[in-house]
Amino acid sequence: MVKLTLDLIARGTSGYTKKKRDESMQQYLKRLTHLYLEDRCIDEVGEDLSMCRNLTVLYLYDNQLLRIPTLHHNQHLTMLYLQNNDIHKIENLSPLTRLTKLYLGGNCITVIEGLDKLENLQELHIENQRMPPGEKLLFDPRTMRAISSSLQVLNIAGNNLDSIRDIECLRNLYQLHANDNLLTDMKELAHVIGGMFRLWRLDLMGNPLCHKAKYRDRVIVMAKNIDVLDGKEISETSRRFLHNWHDAREVQKKRREENLRKGSGEFGDGALLRELPPVKDHPRPPHKIPGYMMPGLPRKQFDEILARTNSNLAEDPVQTHSASMKTRSGILRSKAGPLGYGRSCTCLIRVGDTYYSSDLQRVLPLSRSLTRLPQHLSGGGGNHFL
């Protein structure tokens, strides 16, 4: 445990501000502008620091401070370095109205607050806070609005953030360091940084959204003036190409929307129908019965069918005078004269697994599933084919 003393303060100056022989300690401390008190195991500052009334830069990082020291006598401070202490709350800074840079990284802070009076604050570094498991850094809306007009650099890396919507009001940011968080929403990112027209540096490495397709290209399009993304410079050629590509896509999108609006006025929900070519409806011939002729049967199978047909013909006394038959390619052609009912059996045709002739009487023995031929095929004599 070390408490800040006058002797420690005197040893915390640079070689350019040594105490003169004829100079009192009070005079010497009053003209000090920079104090280097880092890594001294200091856990308490005390009142001796109030004698350094012209102090502008104070280095107190890498100590053991449990709270921000009271510095209301050091109103000329412009830079305050308090990283890597054990500070849990932002407080005691209201008198430091001239403060431009505040470094609080590596502490135990859970809420950004207490900066309402710091109207000149330009840089806030509050990265890598040691928070309880499951907690994330929070932003006090009143504080964020108070510093929105002056803040140019914000470092909130490594604070378990899953959203940055609370910093949307920081329109004048030049640099945003939000790497090593839990950001996933590209739409939210576009909404937030799209309004930061002065942003030229953005760090997002270590967030889940970095693994999304075309992440770098999309971010360059979002932040039109960005020069450095994740530590890598963006060439002017790449930026111009991506912006032109994005603008062309937006024009196409607007055209499609305009076409949809125009079409909706004419056709309602069927607006897209006017973009389609007309469909020709070719009329089908009437009374067309689909079918096809199968190729010829194996000789043995066809002989069996022919024998059954001949036996059926033999049972009919009117048709016992059937002539010799000639077979070819699975078709039975008859040279006989008219067979009963004024019709002649001209051919035996296989359709699927069914064999039939144009004569209804001859079809039934071959296929029990066929009960009636179409009317235009069951008319008078002559040759009829399916």
Side-chain angles (χ1 to χ4, degrees):
M1 299 295 185
V2 178
K3 182 178 180 180
L4 187 62
T5 61
L6 290 178
D7 181 63
L8 195 58
I9 293 175
R11 288 188 285 120
T13 60
S14 65
Y16 299 100
T17 54
K18 291 184 178 182
K19 183 178 176 301
K20 299 177 182 179
R21 290 184 178 180
D22 56 347
E23 188 178 29
S24 65
M25 178 61 70
Q26 185 176 3
Q27 292 175 333
Y28 173 62
L29 296 179
K30 188 176 181 179
R31 68 181 180 89
L32 291 177
T33 58
H34 291 66
L35 270 181
Y36 303 90
L37 302 173
E38 70 277 4
D39 198 15
R40 304 290 179 93
C41 298
I42 299 172
D43 63 340
E44 185 179 353
V45 173
E47 296 293 331
D48 292 338
L49 198 58
S50 61
M51 301 178 64
C52 305
R53 295 183 178 273
N54 291 318
L55 197 63
T56 58
V57 180
L58 176 58
Y59 296 95
L60 277 172
Y61 60 86
D62 294 338
N63 284 293
Q64 299 176 10
L65 296 174
L66 299 177
R67 54 181 296 182
I68 297 177
T70 302
L71 301 170
H72 59 276
H73 293 293
N74 309 103
Q75 298 183 7
H76 292 280
L77 271 176
T78 59
M79 302 182 189
L80 181 58
Y81 295 81
L82 294 169
Q83 311 98 297
N84 301 325
N85 284 278
D86 295 318
I87 299 171
H88 287 74
K89 185 178 181 180
I90 301 177
E91 57 186 350
N92 300 328
L93 295 177
S94 296
L96 307 181
T97 56
R98 299 183 184 182
L99 197 66
T100 59
K101 296 182 181 181
L102 178 59
Y103 294 82
L104 292 169
N107 283 284
C108 305
I109 299 170
T110 57
V111 182
I112 297 180
E113 59 184 346
L115 305 177
D116 307 7
K117 304 298 183 181
L118 306 185
E119 298 179 353
N120 296 308
L121 187 64
Q122 298 178 3
E123 296 187 20
L124 175 59
H125 300 263
I126 192 167
E127 72 281 2
N128 300 320
Q129 297 301 308
R130 303 191 303 273
M131 293 176 287
E135 292 193 14
K136 63 180 180 179
L137 186 66
L138 302 177
F139 302 86
D140 176 32
R142 183 173 59 181
T143 293
M144 302 311 293
R145 287 194 299 268
I147 62 177
S148 61
S149 59
S150 62
L151 197 65
Q152 299 177 4
V153 179
L154 177 62
N155 189 346
I156 50 175
N159 286 313
N160 300 328
L161 295 174
D162 56 7
S163 172
I164 55 173
R165 188 172 293 275
D166 293 333
I167 67 170
E168 181 183 354
C169 60
L170 304 179
R171 302 287 184 175
N172 295 319
L173 280 184
Y174 289 178
Q175 300 182 39
L176 174 59
H177 306 273
N179 44 295
D180 298 324
N181 281 294
L182 304 174
L183 303 178
T184 59
D185 195 341
M186 291 292 289
K187 291 184 178 180
E188 180 187 275
L189 179 66
H191 178 73
V192 173
I193 68 174
M196 300 177 180
F197 301 107
R198 300 182 180 181
L199 189 68
W200 65 268
R201 177 165 185 165
L202 178 63
D203 290 320
L204 294 171
M205 285 298 293
N207 286 281
L209 57 78
C210 295
H211 302 291
K212 295 193 174 184
K214 296 186 181 298
Y215 149 75
R216 186 174 178 84
D217 294 347
R218 293 167 68 181
V219 173
I220 293 174
V221 171
M222 295 174 192
K224 297 186 179 298
N225 298 319
I226 191 171
D227 292 326
V228 180
L229 176 59
D230 297 331
K232 298 180 180 179
E233 292 187 5
I234 301 170
S235 66
E236 187 62 29
T237 303
S238 299
R239 184 186 5 257
R240 190 183 303 113
F241 171 78
L242 290 171
H243 287 172
N244 291 341
W245 170 77
H246 178 262
D247 294 341
R249 287 193 60 184
E250 288 298 315
V251 170
Q252 293 178 359
K253 182 178 179 181
K254 290 180 180 179
R255 286 179 181 174
R256 286 195 297 268
E257 293 175 353
E258 185 66 24
N259 291 336
L260 286 174
R261 284 195 295 270
K262 290 181 180 179
S264 299
E266 299 176 12
F267 297 102
D269 293 337
L272 292 177
L273 292 178
R274 67 186 187 86
E275 302 292 338
L276 300 176
V279 178
K280 294 183 180 180
D281 187 9
H282 300 282
R284 296 180 179 178
H287 308 297
K288 181 73 173 180
I289 299 178
Y292 63 96
M293 180 179 291
M294 295 295 293
L297 296 171
R299 185 70 183 187
K300 183 177 180 181
Q301 185 179 357
F302 184 72
D303 288 343
E304 294 175 356
I305 296 173
L306 183 58
R308 289 198 300 269
T309 304
N310 290 337
S311 63
N312 291 332
L313 289 175
E315 294 174 359
D316 191 345
V318 182
Q319 300 176 2
T320 55
H321 61 281
S322 58
S324 59
M325 301 294 180
K326 184 178 180 181
T327 60
R328 184 175 55 199
S329 302
I331 299 177
L332 175 64
R333 299 188 182 276
S334 172
K335 296 182 180 179
L339 302 174
Y341 306 101
R343 292 184 295 272
S344 61
C345 180
T346 60
C347 64
L348 180 63
I349 304 174
R350 176 187 177 188
V351 179
D353 293 331
T354 304
Y355 302 87
Y356 56 89
S357 66
S358 59
D359 191 330
L360 180 60
Q361 295 295 325
R362 304 299 172 261
V363 170
L364 289 175
L366 302 177
S367 173
R368 298 295 180 183
S369 63
L370 181 59
T371 60
R372 185 179 59 181
L373 288 175
Q375 182 178 359
H376 73 284
L377 294 178
S378 61
N383 296 329
H384 302 287
F385 297 90
L386 291 180

